[in-house]
Amino acid sequence: MTWDEPATVAEAEAIQSRLRPLADLSSEGPAEIGLTAGLDVGYAEDGTVTGAVVVLDASLNVVDRAVARERARFPYVPGLFAFREIPPLLTALSRLSVTPGLLVCDGYGVAHPRRFGLACHLGVLTGLPAIGVAKTAFVGTHETPADERGSWTPIVLDGETVGRALRTRTGVKPVYVSQGHRMSLDNACAQVLRLAPEFRLPEPIRLADRLSRT
DNA sequence: GCGACAG
DNA sequence: ATCTTGTCGC
C-alpha cells in the first residue's frame, strides 16, 4: 500500500473512505507479540514535525528506535489527524532495523467519525497489526469505568462499539483503546495492559513521546 | 446556527 | 501539540 498526499480536506476524507474497507477488524491477532513499536509525533514552533518510533521486546526492553524530522504537510484537522502525522512516522519506520509485530499508535483507530483513524491508516499502509491508544475521548459515548486497573466500559458510536475506555492504573484517568488493523478489541486491551504495568500510558508510547521531543 | 473536536 | 512552578500523594 502506498501513501497518497491529499491536497484538500475533501481529498483526505475521500482517501479515508476508500481505505476503510481494507482495515482487518475480524482477525484476533497474535496472542504473543515479540516486538512492539510505540509511535508518536512531536511538534516544533517552526512548523516541523518529528516522528518517533521505539521498539520494545517482550520484557519491555528497548531494542531499536528511529526518528524523522520533516516539514508538516497538512494542517491539524480533527478527524484528519493521520495526514499530518503519518508522513514522518512512515519515514521513521523505514529507518528501523527490525520489523515489529504490533504498532501502538498515539490516537484512535476505528473510534473515528469515518471509522478510519490513525491506527487503521498506519496498519493498512504497513500491513502490520495496529491499535490506537488515545489520552482523551473524541467520538461516541461511554460510562466511567470502575476505579480498578483493568476495568473498562465500551465506547459506543451510532449504536456500535468502536473501542473501550480502559483503566490502566487504579484511580487514574482511563485511556481510550480502539482497533486499528489485524487485532481484536479484546486482544488490543490485553496488550495495552501488558504494555502498561506501571504508568497510565503504554511504555512504547511513553518512550516514543519522549523521543519525539528531541 | 454555534461550539466542540485524536494530536 | 505546546507554553510552564509548585505541589499533593503514593
Side-chain angles (χ1 to χ4, degrees):
Chain A
M1 189 84 245
T2 52
W3 169 249
D4 282 325
E5 189 75 36
T8 65
V9 164
E11 262 181 54
E13 290 176 342
I15 290 173
Q16 289 181 330
S17 297
R18 178 161 52 79
L19 296 184
R20 181 183 56 194
L22 302 182
D24 175 2
L25 305 177
S26 307
S27 298
E28 199 58 35
E32 300 287 316
I33 303 288
L35 301 178
T36 304
L39 303 86
D40 195 17
V41 174
Y43 296 78
E45 69 297 319
D46 61 350
T48 280
V49 289
T50 302
V53 184
V54 176
V55 183
L56 309 187
D57 63 18
S59 302
L60 305 190
N61 293 312
V62 176
V63 297
D64 199 6
R65 61 173 77 200
V67 296
R69 187 167 189 168
E70 310 173 348
R71 178 106 184 162
R73 309 176 202 170
F74 203 85
Y76 170 66
V77 180
L80 300 178
F81 187 45
F83 296 96
R84 189 167 173 73
E85 300 217 335
I86 282 184
L89 288 177
L90 285 180
T91 305
L93 281 170
S94 72
R95 294 177 176 163
L96 290 177
S97 53
V98 298
T99 301
L102 171 65
L103 303 182
V104 181
C105 308
D106 188 34
Y108 281 121
V110 75
H112 177 276
R114 278 169 300 281
R115 305 291 205 281
F116 198 75
L118 175 66
C120 298
H121 209 145
L122 267 175
V124 167
L125 291 179
T126 63
L128 299 172
I131 64 176
V133 180
K135 297 181 289 295
T136 63
F138 175 44
V139 292
T141 58
H142 65 89
E143 304 291 309
T144 300
D147 268 10
E148 296 71 37
R149 165 181 159 90
S151 307
W152 57 268
T153 53
I155 298 171
V156 178
L157 177 62
D158 298 327
E160 276 180 87
T161 293
V162 295
R164 286 180 191 167
L166 174 66
R167 199 85 73 170
T168 53
R169 288 199 68 185
T170 298
V172 175
K173 276 203 311 180
V175 295
Y176 303 88
V177 181
S178 55
Q179 290 175 270
H181 186 51
R182 297 179 55 192
M183 181 167 275
S184 69
L185 184 53
D186 273 337
N187 198 357
C189 290
Q191 299 301 332
V192 168
L193 286 173
R194 173 180 70 83
L195 295 166
E198 185 175 6
F199 301 107
R200 178 191 179 221
L201 291 179
E203 210 59 18
I205 287 188
R206 284 188 63 241
L207 297 175
D209 176 82
R210 197 159 68 91
L211 184 58
S212 75
R213 299 169 188 277
T214 304

